[in-house]
Amino acid sequence: MDLVEKDLKYIWHPCSQMKDYEELKPIIIERGEGVYLYGKDGKAYLDIVSSWWCNLLGHRNPTINAALIDQLGRLEHVIFANFSHEPAIALCEALMNIIPDGLSKFNFSDNGSAAVECALKMSFQYQYQTGHKEKTKFMCLTDGYHGETLGALAVGSMDLYAKMYRPMLMDTHQIEAPDCYRCPFGKKRDSCGCECFAYAEKAFADHGAETCAMIVEPLVQGSAGMRIYPPLYLKKLRALCDRYGVLLIADEIATGFGRTGKMFAFDHAGVSPDILCVSKGLTGGYLPMAITITTDKIYSAFYAEYSEGKAFMHSHTYSGNPLGCSAALAVQQVLREERILEKAAIRAGYLTERLNATLLDHPNVGEIRHIGLIHAIELVTDKQAKTGFEPGLRIGYQIYKKALEKGLILRPLGNVLYFNPPLTITEAELDEAIAICAEAIAEVLGS
Ligand SMILES: Cc1ncc(COP(=O)(O)O)c(C=O)c1O
C-alpha cells in the first residue's frame, strides 16, 4: 500500500467531503522551504494561502527553527497553573510593545476557537461579577467566522459551518455585516460614511441592554470570502459598545501580526478592543497556540478571595506551552529585526498593481479587493449585476484543481480566490502565483 492509500485508509481530513478525494488524492508533503512546499515526488507547490493563513514568515524559517531546537534542549512542557517559564514571560513582554493600548493580561490556549471560547466566557463572567447579570447575550456580524467549537459557531453565522448544528447553539443577535462590494446604500468602501452602521445602532437599541459582548473579525471577514470593510466601522462600534456597556472582542486570529499591513487590524481604526484573540501567525504557523488578551479592568473583576468563587476556572492542558512560546518569541524577533511589515507593504503595492493589470478586465472578475498582502478575486457571471456563480458549480474548486496541477495552492472560499501569502514572499514568487492563477481561471472560464 502506498502512502496515499494508507492516508485514505486512516485519515478523515478537515473541512472536506472525503468523496472528493477519490478524484483529487491527498498530496503527501515531504518538506517546506520559504513559500514552497515539496511533495514526495519532488513537485513544488507555492503556498499562497499560508497553509490556512498561519504561515507568517515562510516554511522552515531559520530563526524559528533555531529557537525551537534551543528550547527543546531545555523544556518541552510544564503545567501552567502555579508554574511558569521564561519564554512565556518574555513573549508577553514582547507582545506588550505591539498590541493595542490598554491590553495587558494574557490567557493562553492552543487554537483559535479555544481563544474565542475563552473570550466569550470571560465577558459573560465579567458582566455577571460586575453587577450585570442581565447581560447574557452575544452580538456578532452576519457572515462572521470565529471557529468550529459550539460557542464559536454560535457567534459565527456562516450556514456552511453552523447550520447543521443550530439546535445545539446558543441564541445570538446577528447584525447585518458591511458588504462593500454589493453595498445596499450604493456607497464605495474607501469613501463611505459606514451608512450600514445603522444596522448595528438598531440592534444595540433593541438588545444592547441584555448583551455582554460583541465579537468581530476586524476589517476582513476572512471565511466569508475576504470581505473587506473600512476602519471607520470599528471606530463607531467602539463608541457604541461603550454607550451600552457591551465588551468589544476583536478576533484577530486571521488578521493579526501584519496581515492587513499594520500589526493588528484594529490599529487602522486607532481604537482598542476590550479583548483580543490571537493565534495562527502568533507562532508563525509552527505550533498550535492562541492567546486571549484583556485589560486590567476585566482581570480585576476576577481577582478576589478564593472563597468568593470569582476565579476564571478555564484551562487547557497545553496552555502556555514553552515550545509555542519560543516559536512566537522568534516570530517577534524576525518581524522586528527584519522589518518585515515595511517590506511587505512594498510587495503588497506590487501585488495590487500586477493582479489588477492581469485580471481586472477578465469578464468574470467582479472585484479585486485588498488590504495588506491579502488580495481577493471575486468571480461573477455578470460584472454589472455582480451575480455570483451557482455554488453547485464549484467554480472556485475547479480553478483550485487546475492551479494545483500547475503548482499553486489556491484554495478558494466559494466564488472567491485569494492570495494571503507569507509576508516574506518575493516579487518573483508573486509573479509566478499571478501567472498560474490567470492560467487556471482561463482554463475554467475562458480568457
Ligand atoms: C477569524 C478566525 N477566528 C477563529 C478561527 C478559528 O481558529 P482555529 O482554526 O485555530 O480554531 C479562524 C480560523 O480560520 C479564523 O479565521
Side-chain angles (χ1 to χ4, degrees):
M1 217 188 274
D2 70 9
L3 273 180
V4 169
E5 285 166 348
K6 282 190 187 174
D7 174 285
L8 290 173
K9 180 167 178 218
Y10 296 114
I11 297 176
W12 193 344
H13 286 269
C15 210
S16 297
Q17 171 46 264
M18 289 307 299
K19 198 167 191 321
D20 282 347
Y21 287 55
E22 286 175 11
E23 186 204 337
L24 183 58
K25 306 280 185 216
I27 297 163
I28 313 289
I29 295 297
E30 193 167 53
R31 67 187 179 90
E33 185 153 8
V35 298
Y36 291 99
L37 292 164
Y38 295 89
K40 258 202 114 37
D41 56 0
K43 183 167 173 171
Y45 296 91
L46 203 167
D47 188 3
I48 204 71
V49 297
S50 295
S51 284
W52 262 341
W53 320 347
C54 67
N55 187 287
L56 195 70
L57 302 168
H59 294 278
R60 227 150 42 86
N61 179 285
T63 308
I64 307 175
N65 280 14
L68 277 173
I69 290 165
D70 182 55
Q71 184 58 38
L72 273 172
R74 277 179 287 154
L75 176 68
E76 82 301 336
H77 189 60
V78 58
I79 176 173
F80 209 45
N82 225 144
F83 289 83
S84 193
H85 49 82
E86 225 175 301
I89 298 163
L91 175 62
C92 295
E93 274 190 318
L95 292 177
M96 280 303 289
N97 294 322
I98 60 161
I99 53 178
D101 286 348
L103 299 165
S104 52
K105 293 287 179 194
F106 299 74
N107 192 303
F108 286 77
S109 53
D110 49 21
N111 65 77
S113 308
V116 168
E117 296 289 334
C118 176
L120 300 178
K121 288 170 66 182
M122 196 184 275
S123 351
F124 179 91
Q125 192 172 340
Y126 168 81
Q127 299 286 12
Y128 188 92
Q129 291 177 182
T130 53
H132 295 287
K133 292 188 180 164
E134 76 289 358
K135 286 188 168 290
T136 57
K137 299 280 187 217
F138 292 92
M139 284 194 196
C140 53
L141 294 178
T142 54
D143 290 309
Y145 178 84
H146 301 286
E148 304 286 355
T149 48
L150 295 179
L153 273 182
V155 292
S157 18
M158 294 187 64
D159 276 352
L160 179 63
Y161 307 110
K163 191 173 172 193
M164 165 60 69
Y165 311 106
R166 285 272 175 238
M168 300 167 72
L169 306 181
M170 65 179 168
D171 278 341
T172 52
H173 298 302
Q174 300 194 0
I175 299 171
E176 192 67 34
D179 184 356
C180 301
Y181 176 44
R182 299 180 176 87
C183 177
F185 300 88
K187 303 287 177 185
K188 295 260 180 291
R189 185 184 287 118
D190 47 6
S191 57
C192 75
C194 285
E195 284 69 10
C196 60
F197 196 73
Y199 298 128
E201 281 166 344
K202 167 90 172 68
F204 273 69
D206 292 346
H207 307 292
E210 72 207 46
T211 300
C212 64
M214 158 98 200
I215 185 166
V216 280
E217 287 168 274
L219 302 192
V220 188
Q221 289 193 292
S223 298
M226 301 295 174
R227 277 169 49 164
I228 300 171
Y229 61 91
L232 178 62
Y233 194 93
L234 295 179
K235 237 184 158 115
K236 290 185 173 218
L237 193 56
R238 175 70 276 177
L240 194 61
C241 284
D242 286 345
R243 183 142 39 100
Y244 285 89
V246 169
L247 296 180
L248 180 53
I249 304 170
D251 176 351
E252 294 242 18
I253 288 158
T255 50
F257 306 106
R259 288 290 184 197
T260 65
K262 291 192 187 276
M263 194 56 83
F264 293 98
F266 257 75
D267 296 340
H268 292 267
V271 292
S272 295
D274 299 296
I275 302 179
L276 174 71
C277 300
V278 294
S279 188
K280 292 192 187 278
L282 173 65
T283 64
Y286 266 63
L287 284 155
M289 197 169 88
I291 319 182
T292 305
I293 312 172
T294 192
T295 59
D296 279 344
K297 185 176 169 197
I298 292 178
Y299 173 82
S300 301
F302 295 74
Y303 199 87
E305 293 301 331
Y306 183 80
S307 55
E308 289 184 46
K310 287 188 170 175
F312 189 41
M313 297 307 286
H314 178 98
S315 63
H316 295 279
T317 305
Y318 288 100
S319 292
N321 174 263
L323 293 170
C325 291
S326 300
L329 257 177
V331 166
Q332 289 308 309
Q333 182 191 338
V334 175
L335 286 175
R336 205 173 47 242
E337 288 178 1
E338 299 182 24
R339 303 194 347 266
I340 296 291
L341 266 61
E342 266 171 67
K343 294 180 194 162
I346 296 165
R347 286 187 302 269
Y350 178 79
L351 176 56
T352 308
E353 190 231 307
R354 294 312 309 147
L355 212 48
N356 281 342
T358 312
L359 282 172
L360 203 52
D361 289 339
H362 190 286
N364 298 116
V365 171
E367 182 181 56
I368 301 178
R369 48 184 173 263
H370 60 92
I371 182 165
L373 269 167
I374 298 173
H375 283 63
I377 304 156
E378 176 140 0
L379 300 170
V380 291
T381 54
D382 179 337
K383 268 182 189 291
Q384 228 43 46
K386 303 182 180 175
T387 320
F389 284 91
E390 268 299 306
L393 294 173
R394 302 182 80 190
I395 287 297
Y397 184 66
Q398 307 309 329
I399 295 170
Y400 163 67
K401 286 194 288 184
K402 289 283 179 204
L404 212 46
E405 282 168 20
K406 299 169 194 296
L408 178 70
I409 306 177
L410 193 62
R411 199 180 156 90
L413 296 159
N415 287 329
V416 176
L417 307 171
Y418 68 91
F419 289 17
N420 188 11
L423 302 183
T424 47
I425 194 166
T426 64
E427 289 188 358
E429 289 158 349
L430 286 171
D431 285 341
E432 183 187 338
I434 294 166
I436 297 179
C437 174
E439 281 172 33
I441 291 176
E443 284 178 26
V444 174
L445 296 172
S447 52

